[in-house]
Amino acid sequence: MNKKAMLEMQTWSDLPIELLELIFCRLSLEDNIRSSIACKRWNTAAISVRVVNHSPWLMYFPKFGNMYEFYDPAQRKTYSLELPELYGSRVCYTKDGWLLLYRPRTNRVFFFNPFSREVVKLPRFELTYQIVAFSCAPTSNTCVVFTVRHISPTIVAISTCHPGATEWVTVNYQNRLPFVSSIWNKIVFCNGLFYCLSLTGWLGVFDPLEHTWNVLAVPPPKCPENFFAKNWWKGKFMSEHNGDILVIYTCCSENPIIFKLDQSKMFWREMKTLDGMTLFASFLSSHSRSDLPGMMRNSVYFSKVRFFGKRCISYSLDDCRYYPRKQCHDWGEQDPFENIWIEPPEDLSSFI
């Protein structure tokens, strides 16, 4: 059979897999699913680029004024929203589309949803150089707010609160291992527990139901010697994904190193791949996503945008390099209150 006849016998299913992926990534979710039942090759290509999730947006806090910018890394678009309700406030944490904020002058602590403009107030509380986190949206009756500060290397003071409470509850706990808290610590809520990564890499765990605190006997992640440079302890991030605790270590121009806590053997395992997952790292709270557009998978997106707000700096574990190249990766030098990742609204038309 000659070449011409062979070409005439080819069908749509014979298209190169790369071309199929390019086509399917431009389809809506419904069309992607319909196309995937055509044949085995189409099914493989369609699933590989299927998007069933939305990436968080990067919210910028202005130095002056009430105009806030929201950057969508998937569409590379920036939206603006005027939020006078946040005047004089400092961002502390974000989860489920809600911000937790603090007004230093009045010690006011409150939740705010920038898309619905809902406000949920908490009792006043002094937050100096402490980090704060909450378990879920304040509209849930299971929402718990958590903060920790060390009294001494072996004693920490843990304060908790919840929407509707009239005061914060503070209890001192004894550590079996040294735990130093600072604004550079990281907190995530996972499997009903608050995990807190200390300045030096030790992991404390607080159970809000049992009211117990424990510093795990897990040595900090092992990093190359060249990571122990100026401000190396500032350039780390922590997130959770499907019950796993993930830590990202960065240092200047070195490639990031990602560790996952092996909870059965109690040690930090270095990850060479994220298996298609995407991490969004910022100082006060980090997020994870699966099923994002193909080009965003197996990558870490950092809270810095370049090229006139058109490109978010990211690191690809597939290519072992930063995008774009030749950027200053001084994560330890950034202002921790400058921006934060937040879940976008389901209906964009409500404020665009």
Side-chain angles (χ1 to χ4, degrees):
M1 186 179 297
N2 60 37
K3 186 175 181 180
K4 182 178 180 180
M6 290 179 63
L7 289 174
E8 290 178 349
M9 291 180 63
Q10 286 186 336
T11 65
W12 284 100
S13 63
D14 296 316
L15 285 173
I17 194 72
E18 294 82 4
L19 185 55
L20 287 173
E21 290 177 349
L22 191 63
I23 294 171
F24 290 141
C25 75
R26 285 165 168 75
L27 299 181
S28 66
L29 177 59
E30 291 183 359
D31 289 339
N32 180 291
I33 294 173
R34 291 192 187 99
S35 302
S36 67
I37 64 176
C39 65
K40 188 175 181 179
R41 291 186 79 249
W42 281 33
N43 180 269
T44 301
I47 291 177
S48 70
V49 297
R50 183 172 295 166
V51 178
V52 295
N53 212 339
H54 296 286
S55 71
W57 289 0
L58 190 60
M59 180 180 180
Y60 278 91
F61 284 71
K63 293 182 179 180
F64 307 100
N66 299 317
M67 189 63 69
Y68 292 75
E69 291 188 340
F70 297 82
Y71 174 76
D72 179 357
Q75 300 296 325
R76 297 186 182 181
K77 291 183 178 180
T78 300
Y79 308 102
S80 297
L81 195 59
E82 192 167 4
L83 301 171
E85 301 94 328
L86 303 188
Y87 178 77
S89 302
R90 186 181 79 192
V91 63
C92 298
Y93 199 75
T94 179
K95 190 179 180 71
D96 297 339
W98 286 81
L99 296 165
L100 181 62
L101 299 119
Y102 173 63
R103 286 200 175 106
R105 290 186 178 181
T106 60
N107 290 335
R108 172 66 69 189
V109 185
F110 64 102
F111 291 98
F112 182 74
N113 188 313
F115 309 116
S116 67
R117 302 295 183 97
E118 294 177 85
V119 178
V120 177
K121 295 181 179 180
L122 292 173
R124 297 178 190 271
F125 190 74
E126 184 177 356
L127 294 171
T128 51
Y129 295 101
Q130 298 169 238
I131 51 170
V132 193
F134 57 96
S135 58
C136 58
T139 50
S140 168
N141 57 11
T142 61
C143 177
V144 178
V145 185
F146 163 85
T147 183
V148 58
R149 62 183 177 89
H150 74 275
I151 305 298
S152 71
T154 57
I155 299 177
V156 297
I158 291 178
S159 301
T160 57
C161 193
H162 60 85
T166 57
E167 62 180 3
W168 289 70
V169 177
T170 300
V171 179
N172 289 355
Y173 291 86
Q174 190 81 28
N175 295 327
R176 291 187 298 117
L177 294 166
F179 186 91
V180 179
S181 65
S182 78
I183 194 64
W184 304 105
N185 287 14
K186 311 297 173 186
I187 302 179
V188 298
F189 184 76
C190 179
N191 295 328
L193 304 172
F194 285 99
Y195 289 82
C196 185
L197 188 70
S198 78
L199 190 69
T200 52
W202 292 90
L203 196 63
V205 182
F206 178 72
D207 187 329
L209 293 179
E210 300 295 331
H211 303 286
T212 58
W213 166 261
N214 179 39
V215 179
L216 300 182
V218 181
K222 292 184 178 180
C223 295
E225 289 185 4
N226 55 349
F227 264 53
F228 297 94
K230 180 183 178 183
N231 291 342
W232 67 269
W233 37 270
K234 293 183 180 179
K236 63 179 184 290
F237 310 88
M238 184 166 67
S239 182
E240 67 87 22
H241 184 75
N242 293 339
D244 288 324
I245 304 298
L246 308 173
V247 172
I248 308 165
Y249 272 69
T250 67
C251 183
C252 302
S253 60
E254 299 290 334
N255 290 342
I257 302 178
I258 302 172
F259 297 92
K260 180 173 73 173
L261 178 64
D262 188 321
Q263 301 186 45
S264 61
K265 298 182 179 179
M266 298 305 286
F267 80 102
W268 292 101
R269 184 190 303 276
E270 185 177 347
M271 300 180 69
K272 299 298 184 181
T273 177
L274 294 176
D275 295 322
M277 178 179 53
T278 308
L279 296 177
F280 296 86
S282 61
F283 280 100
L284 299 174
S285 66
S286 299
H287 303 257
S288 65
R289 290 290 187 277
S290 56
D291 299 322
L292 290 181
M295 64 180 180
M296 298 184 71
R297 298 179 184 182
N298 215 35
S299 298
V300 180
Y301 279 72
F302 293 94
S303 56
K304 184 181 287 187
V305 178
R306 286 291 180 264
F307 295 107
F308 305 101
K310 297 297 184 182
R311 185 73 181 267
C312 195
I313 292 183
S314 64
Y315 177 81
S316 168
L317 275 76
D318 289 330
D319 302 333
C320 297
R321 54 157 287 192
Y322 274 103
Y323 287 92
R325 291 187 186 273
K326 297 181 179 180
Q327 296 296 313
C328 183
H329 311 126
D330 53 343
W331 311 123
E333 299 291 342
Q334 279 189 275
D335 179 358
F337 306 108
E338 180 183 40
N339 52 45
I340 196 168
W341 292 105
I342 186 171
E343 292 186 16
E346 293 183 4
D347 182 13
L348 301 184
S349 63
S350 62
F351 74 101
I352 294 178

